[in-house]
Amino acid sequence: MQISEIPLPEHLKQQYLAKGMQVLYPPQAECVERGMFEGRNLLVAIPTASGKTLIAEMAMHSHIARKGKCLYIVPLKALASEKYEEFSNKGVRVGIATGDFDRRDDMLGNNDIIVATSEKVDSLLRNNARWIAEITLLVIDEVHLIDSSHRGPVVEMVIAKMRYRNPAMQVIGLSATIGNPKVLAGWLDAELVTSTWRPVDLRQGVFCNDRIHFREGERRVKVVSKNFDDINLCLDTIAEGGQCLVFVSSRRNAEAFAKRAAGAIKSEDPGLKEPAKELERTAETEMGKTLAACVARGAAFHHAGLSRPERAVVEEGFRKGLIKCISSTPTLAAGLNLPARRVIIRDYLRFAAGEGMQPIPASEYHQMAGRAGRPRLDPYGEAVLIAKDEGQVEELFEYYIDAPAEEVHSKIAEPNALYTHVLSLIASGFAGTRNELLSFMDRSFYVHEHRQGRLMQRAVDTALKFLVDNDMILEVGEHLGSSEFGTLVSRLYIDPRSAAMIVSTLHKESDYSDLGLLHLICSTPDMPRLYVRNTDRAALDRMMDEHDGEIWLEMPGEEEEQEEYYRALKTAMLLSDWADEMPDARICERYSVGPGDVYGMVESVNWLLHASGELSRMFALTFHPRIREYETCMKNGIRRELLPLVKLRGIGRVRARRLFNNGITSPEAVLGAGIETVTKLIGRGIAEQVFAQLEKRVRATPLPEGEDNMAGQSTLSRFR
Ligand code: ADP
């Protein structure tokens, strides 16, 4: 099917043609034939890289041309920005929403396409964003993640709620190949489009004894490194003009591999100078310096510990073909579109807590393998597993390459999954009695799959009892309603178990402490926690002695719970160091994490600090102002003494500290010091920006009769 023939706005078709896209890929054509432009629901379950995004984009533009509005749901924040950029600059208004869970974001509704994570959409539904009712097309990217224990229940509930609110809305689910697509399509009342078609031929094989075994034959690989098969596999592809992605099990392995690969590739491409210099210039940690050194020779590593700018440099270097090889943890496979001629799946065992090393599921293998082959650039793609010995070759073929796609199943009946959803269904008016709750749940994928919901009913009842016992839900006869507390918890988008823990502890404590609050928050089910090694325990014990009386929660008696207690404590320590202005590099070294991890943890704790502040306000607790202050401290990574300075736009932790240490401790003092002094400390551009802000404030504040307007000091202090 020619792109020029399909019913799309002319300017969009021109953009596609300009990019060299003329013909729809076969699965895309099938979507059109199955009624995509006539509003039919679709489940598109096709391999990675076979053009799912374009399907969604065409459908969205068709809706917008008819004055519709589209919501595109992604599972990860990183994917949200990628899609946002992809959909932008195509003649429609695009918005993105991933954080700030207690806002209605009315302005977002001015867009034609809204890209959001499933958590954000759930929170928008809870906060009654009005424009949700205007959505005519819902796209759910990576809908197979409904099977994930962690994210699946939110995806499932969001789909159910959206369809309940907007019954006429078209739904398009985009999925990797799955074993039971018919069931999922049935739930979505959707036409099913499945295919094994790929834009580039994919050859899958197993490497052993200097040879890659394919089903179709063998390929000999030149031995350059005596000790490292993985390096030989990389150099083999590079010698043919290809690039390589190597998936390994841990960050440490990714870094170690990139160092070896850099030593073997030894690229002298002058184009590498720029990205390497950029990384070197901004490197704050040992890891950053290692990355810069690797990139200088044409190799890189990529994992969640990298900062955003570091990631961007690596990805761009790879897309331009300058970086020849990237070693990565499997996070890269989950979303980012970085295809390479050869994908090497070196480590297929992964550490699972309590279970030791476990093989990764076949679906993960297929997701990584799917990254092989750049359309129009590579004649074919290759995915290669590495076997320990000849005996393992066939085993790897069976377990991964020939394995049927895995089935997806609802996870909402799992313990703990429903507390937050039961509360939100009642608080947002989807259900007002137990029967209404259960009948809403009849719309779930779980009930569609199992035809009955006994397990789920039990999960609903457990959640309901918890919510009633903790005063979030009120029961009058058969009627259920949310209390003020329950409504706030639902709107704040935190787990009701977290809210109950926070509120009961805050009520009990008489002395406020930052560390007590942090440790409490880090102990809630909403907070990701650092792992604790045996060697960490002594330091943590010492820290507990030093801060005796500040930590609110008691050490539990059970061994397993103690582990969690220590993990929360270590996480709290990291965050406390951040708010105490410890430089990033030292934090990373001290806790063996990357800047990306620190950023992620600060973001999570900020959300829970904000929620704690709101809860303490509602219960009129005396700690409320302290919590609010600490929220700002954490957001900026500063001690309390810098609070007045960071209120100025453009002033963050580093500049505020520099001003403070030079005796400039407040906005009044900034004015008093004068622009020249301030420029010396924080640079001309920012200094001018700050003075413009201050002068605007001075002008905006009318003076009482007889007061002298020349003294910035007194003027400013009146409006702060
Ligand atoms: P998926 O989401 O299925 O993993 P993408 O939508 O990211 O795959 O598509 C992979 C690549 O294929 C993108 O670079 C996209 O621009 C390109 N592509 C998609 N459809 C076509 C087409 N009909 N013709 C040419 N290239 C296409």
Side-chain angles (χ1 to χ4, degrees):
M1 193 178 288
Q2 295 288 327
I3 287 191
S4 57
E5 291 167 17
I6 48 183
L8 280 177
E10 203 48 42
H11 67 90
L12 189 66
K13 288 200 256 188
Q14 290 307 327
Q15 283 201 14
Y16 289 159
L17 293 174
K19 276 209 236 157
M21 300 180 189
Q22 292 179 339
V23 185
L24 287 186
Y25 286 163
Q28 294 168 339
E30 195 180 335
C31 290
V32 176
E33 281 152 15
R34 296 292 195 92
M36 179 171 88
F37 291 126
E38 283 87 55
R40 291 302 308 254
N41 290 355
L42 292 177
L43 174 65
V44 188
I46 56 179
T48 311
S50 49
K52 291 190 276 287
T53 313
L54 193 86
I55 295 174
E57 189 172 79
M58 291 191 297
M60 292 196 291
H61 278 261
S62 152
H63 272 258
I64 297 162
R66 289 173 280 138
K67 303 267 173 285
K69 199 183 278 304
C70 313
L71 182 58
Y72 189 103
I73 300 185
V74 289
L76 300 169
K77 273 188 180 180
L79 266 180
S81 7
E82 195 192 322
K83 298 295 170 193
Y84 171 77
E85 271 157 39
E86 177 143 13
F87 300 145
S88 296
N89 301 321
K90 288 184 176 157
V92 293
R93 292 164 297 185
V94 188
I96 178 168
T98 57
D100 288 342
F101 289 130
D102 62 346
R103 289 172 43 174
R104 265 193 5 202
D105 292 290
D106 286 336
M107 297 300 281
L108 256 187
N110 294 338
N111 294 293
D112 304 307
I113 298 176
I114 295 116
V115 181
T117 55
S118 31
E119 284 79 10
K120 179 68 189 186
V121 176
D122 197 10
S123 87
L124 287 165
L125 280 157
R126 293 171 184 216
N127 287 287
N128 284 325
R130 300 234 164 77
W131 51 266
I132 288 277
E134 296 163 25
I135 298 294
T136 56
L137 170 63
L138 175 71
V139 182
I140 310 114
D141 200 356
E142 314 263 356
V143 64
H144 54 271
L145 287 180
I146 209 161
D147 187 73
S148 137
S149 297
H150 176 48
R151 294 216 137 81
V154 183
V155 177
E156 185 172 344
M157 292 307 291
V158 160
I159 297 174
K161 284 181 188 172
M162 285 295 299
R163 295 185 70 200
Y164 179 81
R165 283 270 154 92
N166 300 6
M169 175 183 72
Q170 183 181 11
V171 179
I172 298 182
L174 305 176
S175 162
T177 15
I178 51 174
N180 56 341
K182 276 197 190 134
V183 188
L184 191 54
W187 178 54
L188 295 171
D189 297 311
E191 294 284 324
L192 174 62
V193 176
T194 51
S195 165
T196 51
W197 182 90
R198 286 182 38 101
V200 192
D201 239 10
L202 176 64
R203 302 180 188 168
Q204 304 179 79
V206 179
F207 178 85
C208 188
N209 291 337
D210 310 331
R211 251 176 270 258
I212 309 176
H213 302 258
F214 294 106
R215 282 282 184 236
E216 307 79 28
E218 286 183 359
R219 177 187 165 97
R220 258 206 107 75
V221 172
K222 196 167 146 201
V223 181
V224 180
S225 160
K226 277 217 189 80
N227 299 325
F228 296 109
D229 289 339
D230 47 14
I231 292 289
N232 291 329
L233 273 169
C234 266
L235 295 177
D236 182 53
T237 299
I238 296 169
E240 283 198 335
Q243 287 168 291
C244 218
L245 277 181
V246 186
F247 287 107
V248 297
S249 57
S250 68
R251 296 177 185 189
R252 199 171 298 182
N253 286 342
E255 288 168 31
F257 180 85
K259 278 199 239 173
R260 276 195 283 120
I265 298 169
K266 290 194 233 129
S267 170
E268 290 183 355
D269 193 323
L272 287 166
K273 284 221 173 80
E274 189 61 41
K277 232 194 308 166
E278 171 69 14
L279 288 169
E280 175 72 45
R281 196 179 57 76
T282 52
E284 286 183 0
T285 57
E286 272 312 307
M287 185 197 77
K289 287 186 198 133
T290 308
L291 183 63
C294 290
V295 166
R297 321 298 296 274
F301 52 88
H302 190 299
H303 56 60
L306 266 57
S307 68
R308 268 185 217 194
E310 283 168 343
R311 274 195 216 190
V313 172
V314 169
E315 287 165 20
E316 194 187 321
F318 194 74
R319 286 206 179 100
K320 284 187 177 160
L322 296 166
I323 294 174
K324 296 294 177 197
C325 164
I326 295 186
S327 51
S328 170
T329 51
T331 43
L332 189 73
L336 295 175
N337 190 3
L338 269 192
R341 166 90 54 92
R342 182 175 285 171
V343 171
I344 301 170
I345 294 97
R346 196 194 70 177
D347 302 341
Y348 33 82
L349 295 179
R350 176 167 338 123
F351 183 77
E355 296 168 51
M357 296 305 274
Q358 292 294 322
I360 56 167
S363 58
E364 270 188 40
Y365 161 77
H366 284 291
Q367 195 159 41
M368 297 186 223
R371 294 282 161 222
R374 293 168 307 160
R376 285 171 287 171
L377 293 173
D378 289 325
Y380 54 84
E382 283 176 345
V384 184
L385 288 146
I386 301 182
K388 277 200 298 285
D389 50 46
E390 291 283 350
Q392 214 193 10
V393 173
E394 198 47 39
E395 203 182 296
L396 289 176
F397 263 103
E398 268 174 39
Y399 198 88
Y400 289 115
I401 300 176
D402 300 335
E406 278 147 13
E407 298 193 349
V408 298
H409 298 290
S410 166
K411 293 289 188 282
I412 58 168
E414 285 193 355
N416 304 336
L418 276 181
Y419 289 87
T420 184
H421 298 297
V422 168
L423 174 62
S424 99
L425 286 173
I426 298 169
S428 335
F430 286 92
T433 63
R434 179 175 177 275
N435 277 344
E436 282 175 15
L437 254 182
L438 295 177
S439 91
F440 184 90
M441 296 309 280
D442 282 346
R443 303 166 156 270
S444 65
F445 180 44
Y446 184 91
V447 172
H448 180 82
E449 255 192 293
H450 298 270
R451 306 258 163 244
Q452 48 89 358
R454 231 171 304 136
L455 252 186
M456 200 199 53
Q457 262 182 36
R458 206 178 315 149
V460 168
D461 284 334
T462 310
L464 210 46
K465 179 166 182 328
F466 176 89
L467 295 166
V468 171
D469 288 350
N470 283 279
D471 302 324
M472 293 184 218
I473 294 292
L474 307 170
E475 219 174 357
V476 182
E478 64 164 15
H479 293 284
L480 301 170
S482 65
S483 63
E484 194 188 344
F485 178 28
T487 306
L488 180 62
V489 172
S490 172
R491 279 194 33 236
L492 288 170
Y493 205 68
I494 59 172
D495 191 308
R497 292 168 301 157
S498 302
M501 251 175 101
I502 292 171
V503 167
S504 69
T505 310
L506 290 181
H507 266 123
K508 234 174 18 213
E509 293 302 323
S510 48
D511 296 321
Y512 175 82
S513 106
D514 288 341
L515 194 61
L517 178 65
L518 268 187
H519 181 241
L520 166 64
I521 286 178
C522 290
S523 306
T524 64
D526 278 309
M527 187 66 198
R529 284 182 274 280
L530 292 170
Y531 284 100
V532 169
R533 284 171 292 202
N534 284 340
T535 46
D536 291 336
R537 291 228 175 176
L540 290 168
D541 284 334
R542 221 176 314 120
M543 133 127 194
M544 273 193 290
D545 285 343
E546 277 166 25
H547 295 273
D548 191 30
E550 285 174 50
I551 297 169
W552 293 337
L553 303 179
E554 300 269 338
M555 170 77 79
E558 298 275 327
E559 180 75 27
E560 217 169 276
E561 289 173 28
Q562 281 181 4
E563 164 94 20
E564 286 304 311
Y565 187 90
Y566 276 115
R567 288 180 62 186
L569 197 60
K570 186 174 170 189
T571 314
M573 260 174 77
L574 180 151
L575 291 162
S576 161
D577 283 345
W578 158 260
D580 199 38
E581 298 177 41
M582 186 181 280
D584 283 4
R586 269 201 56 210
I587 297 183
C588 292
E589 220 165 277
R590 195 169 188 182
Y591 297 93
S592 312
V593 294
D597 303 305
V598 177
Y599 177 83
M601 258 175 295
V602 169
E603 208 176 29
S604 302
V605 85
N606 271 337
W607 184 249
L608 289 159
L609 272 172
H610 171 76
S612 308
E614 289 290 294
L615 290 167
S616 65
R617 182 182 53 81
M618 197 197 91
F619 286 104
L621 300 175
T622 46
F623 297 167
H624 174 240
R626 305 296 305 273
I627 298 179
R628 277 275 181 266
E629 273 174 13
Y630 199 50
E631 189 189 339
T632 315
C633 291
M634 187 60 73
K635 208 173 271 164
N636 293 282
I638 53 160
R639 294 185 199 153
R640 281 190 165 74
E641 62 199 22
L642 299 188
L643 280 170
L645 286 170
V646 296
K647 282 188 185 147
L648 296 167
R649 236 178 313 118
I651 302 292
R653 73 189 304 219
V654 176
R655 293 191 181 104
R657 176 50 61 198
R658 212 172 290 150
L659 289 169
F660 191 93
N661 288 353
N662 283 280
I664 303 172
T665 58
S666 64
E668 294 88 337
V670 171
L671 263 189
I675 193 157
E676 287 314 318
T677 311
V678 173
T679 296
K680 278 194 203 116
L681 295 170
I682 62 171
R684 165 85 44 200
I686 300 284
E688 280 175 2
Q689 209 183 320
V690 164
F691 272 80
Q693 279 173 62
L694 289 171
E695 277 154 19
K696 211 157 127 198
R697 285 199 205 174
V698 172
R699 277 199 302 275
T701 314
L703 277 176
E705 292 282 317
E707 212 171 296
D708 178 8
N709 197 9
M710 294 309 285
Q713 196 112 4
S714 61
T715 313
L716 270 172
S717 54
R718 269 185 290 109
F719 58 74
R720 278 198 314 120

